[in-house]
Amino acid sequence: MRFLDGEVTPDERAAIKGRLEASSELRREFAIFRSIKEDFRDLSFAPQDGDSVWDRIRTRITMPVGWGLAIAGFVGWAGYAAWTFVQSPSAIVVKLTTGAVVIGMLVLLAQVIWDRYREYGSDPYRNVHR
């Protein structure tokens, strides 16, 4: 392998060439190792995005269905909670302050989601995987 990588001295190189000329078995093994080295040179061990069929299925089917169900469930739950809140016999002041807290938290959450959405396109670490 050192001979293939060019890491031998001139004397060692001459000795190895002499042995290669003398032995057909050694030449065959040398050809195999050279071929393996050339094959490995072109390989990349970094994961490729979207290589798996399952990644494409998850991206095109599973994720949209999951998001759709989650959003529909949240809208239904929020509607029921709002209806129950309005129908409760609590004082108007309690309803207004509770509503202000909930609306404030939703506005903050929406702002965080919007900021992440805008940043996603220019995020330099988006394609970095461990």
Side-chain angles (χ1 to χ4, degrees):
M1 291 312 295
R2 286 183 36 221
F3 179 75
L4 281 173
D5 293 337
E7 299 174 350
V8 294
T9 64
D11 293 335
E12 291 173 327
R13 177 174 295 283
I16 292 171
K17 283 185 177 182
R19 288 188 180 175
L20 283 172
E21 290 173 3
S23 171
S24 63
E25 180 67 22
L26 194 57
R27 282 193 305 271
R28 185 183 70 79
E29 287 184 22
F30 178 74
I32 291 171
F33 281 121
R34 184 176 41 212
S35 172
I36 290 172
K37 180 182 177 190
E38 290 172 4
D39 290 343
F40 274 112
R41 182 180 306 140
D42 297 332
L43 288 180
S44 171
F45 294 103
Q48 303 292 321
D49 290 336
D51 276 350
S52 172
V53 171
W54 296 112
D55 289 339
R56 286 179 276 191
I57 290 172
R58 183 181 60 83
T59 302
R60 292 185 181 189
I61 297 172
T62 308
M63 286 182 63
V65 169
W67 275 108
L69 290 173
I71 290 170
F74 179 77
V75 167
W77 174 81
Y80 176 73
W83 181 77
T84 304
F85 182 71
V86 169
Q87 296 298 322
S88 72
S90 300
I92 190 71
V93 174
V94 173
K95 289 183 180 181
L96 290 176
T97 54
T98 305
V101 169
V102 170
I103 291 171
M105 291 179 76
L106 288 175
V107 167
L108 291 174
L109 178 63
Q111 183 63 42
V112 169
I113 291 171
W114 179 251
D115 288 344
R116 284 298 300 147
Y117 175 74
R118 284 189 323 182
E119 183 181 308
Y120 181 74
S122 62
D123 186 8
Y125 301 107
R126 180 176 52 184
N127 294 325
V128 175
H129 303 283
R130 285 186 140 216

